[in-house]
Amino acid sequence: MTSRRTLLKGTLFGSAAALLPRAAASASDGGSVPRLPPPAGPYPVGVQTVHLTDPSRTDPWIGGVRELMLTVLYPARSVHGFGRALQLTPVEAGEFADLAPHVHPGLPQPGTVDWGAVLTHGHVGAPPLPGRRPVLVYSPGGGDSRTLGTTLAEDLASHGRVVVLVDHPGDASQVELPTGLRKTVLSGPPDPATFRTMVDTRIADLLLVLDKLGDLPLARFTDSRRIGLYGHSAGGTAAVYGARDDRRVGAVANMEGYLDLYPTPAGGLDQPLLLFRTDGFDGAARIDSSWAGLPGRRVLLPDANHWAFTDYGSLVPRLQSSGLVTATARTALVGPGDPVVTLTAVRRRVGAFFARHLG
């Protein structure tokens, strides 16, 4: 494993204005504005962004120093006077509008959805609630940006955790860095060599974040003895392999990520493991095979498909109701189930798993 000496750049990327709903007209494509469901916990949610660099590691996709963008969500003492964050920056929203129907066939064409106006329920720069809290670090699915994990992360934060969403520039659909916009290098499902590079890069990214938890802006509100990793699809794969040899991690949740890239230790991980899958995923046979023999808590999400674990689980049914997504596309993306029931199940299962093992 390469050295992970790092630099921490800019607690707030470009200032809080990068997250606030400023200049809606410039971010707008026009059309429908989907809404994200609010978190269900007792605490309001604060949010900050962080830029990390690792000068000891070369970016595998473009060369040069490896850069990351993080979103940190946390229970807030008060959100009065602190505006809600946009899900995407204006620059990211413009790129995502063009990419969305290509990354996920069936999503609306450019100009029909105003992705730049979608608000989260995180309040930019709100003061943290005092106390030391468990830390959960999230890796998104291959080709997805960290922002598509917002709904689950906000709920976890509203129940008293600090949650760090990690973007993996290069395979993420788009991510705005202080150095400019990075677009995905993927043009379809990755071949085995590309997938291995993705996962290896993600593992190193996650370990970098764990190394720098003590330097993040909320360090004094985090408990380094209670760390969890969770991820979706390729992010779930990376979370499990990242935890395999790292004793700092106390629990791992894998939401439908393959585990056949590397051998797992005899008897499985030392940490508690949640293996969460849907009943509609077309990769179910490979999931079953790669999870075979692993001890862990197995949960099946009914009437759901692969991206039900992400914000698409709530956004796509809303878009279908607006006539912008077909029933066939909705089923292929998130499944036919009631989105409220599905979201509640995901929140409860993941939240309960980490509550049990991290407190």
Side-chain angles (χ1 to χ4, degrees), residues 103-321:
V103 175
H104 296 298
L107 289 180
Q109 294 298 312
T112 56
V113 177
D114 187 356
W115 296 108
V118 180
L119 286 171
T120 73
H121 298 274
H123 296 259
V124 180
L129 189 71
R132 288 198 171 268
R133 307 189 176 279
V135 185
L136 305 179
V137 181
Y138 172 74
S139 179
D144 283 346
S145 69
R146 73 190 191 279
T147 60
L148 287 168
T150 296
T151 299
L152 177 56
E154 288 182 340
D155 192 71
L156 291 167
S158 77
H159 284 89
R161 293 102 169 185
V162 174
V163 184
V164 182
L165 305 181
V166 183
D167 246 328
H168 303 285
D171 77 78
S173 53
Q174 77 292 310
V175 53
E176 187 177 6
L177 295 155
T179 51
L181 181 71
R182 284 281 299 276
K183 304 176 185 180
T184 184
V185 301
L186 303 177
S187 58
D191 59 44
T194 302
F195 184 70
R196 184 180 291 271
T197 299
M198 282 172 52
V199 172
D200 287 347
T201 302
R202 286 161 171 264
I203 292 170
D205 289 346
L206 292 175
L207 296 179
L208 167 67
V209 173
L210 296 187
D211 286 347
K212 300 307 296 179
L213 284 178
D215 296 329
L216 296 184
L218 273 76
R220 66 191 181 95
F221 298 98
T222 62
D223 185 348
S224 61
R225 299 166 300 176
R226 295 187 289 166
I227 296 174
L229 297 183
Y230 73 110
H232 170 242
S233 196
T237 304
V240 172
Y241 290 130
R244 181 179 53 176
D245 300 316
D246 198 315
R247 299 305 307 158
R248 293 173 294 186
V249 179
V252 187
N254 173 13
M255 298 180 289
E256 213 152 60
Y258 300 128
L259 296 178
D260 53 7
L261 188 60
Y262 296 112
T264 52
L269 295 180
D270 291 334
Q271 302 96 327
L273 175 63
L274 174 65
L275 297 169
F276 205 174
R277 52 159 292 196
T278 66
D279 65 354
F281 183 40
D282 61 8
R286 183 178 172 188
I287 288 289
D288 284 342
S289 174
S290 69
W291 290 4
L294 275 177
R297 173 66 173 164
R298 282 171 164 74
V299 177
L300 183 69
L301 188 63
D303 299 320
N305 212 328
H306 191 55
W307 283 275
F309 293 112
T310 73
D311 291 351
Y312 288 127
S314 298
L315 294 174
V316 168
R318 289 182 183 272
L319 293 172
Q320 184 194 7
S321 298

Side-chain angles (χ1 to χ4, degrees), residues 48-59:
Q48 298 185 28
T49 57
V50 176
H51 175 227
L52 285 180
T53 63
D54 186 352
S56 69
R57 188 155 53 105
T58 300
D59 189 292

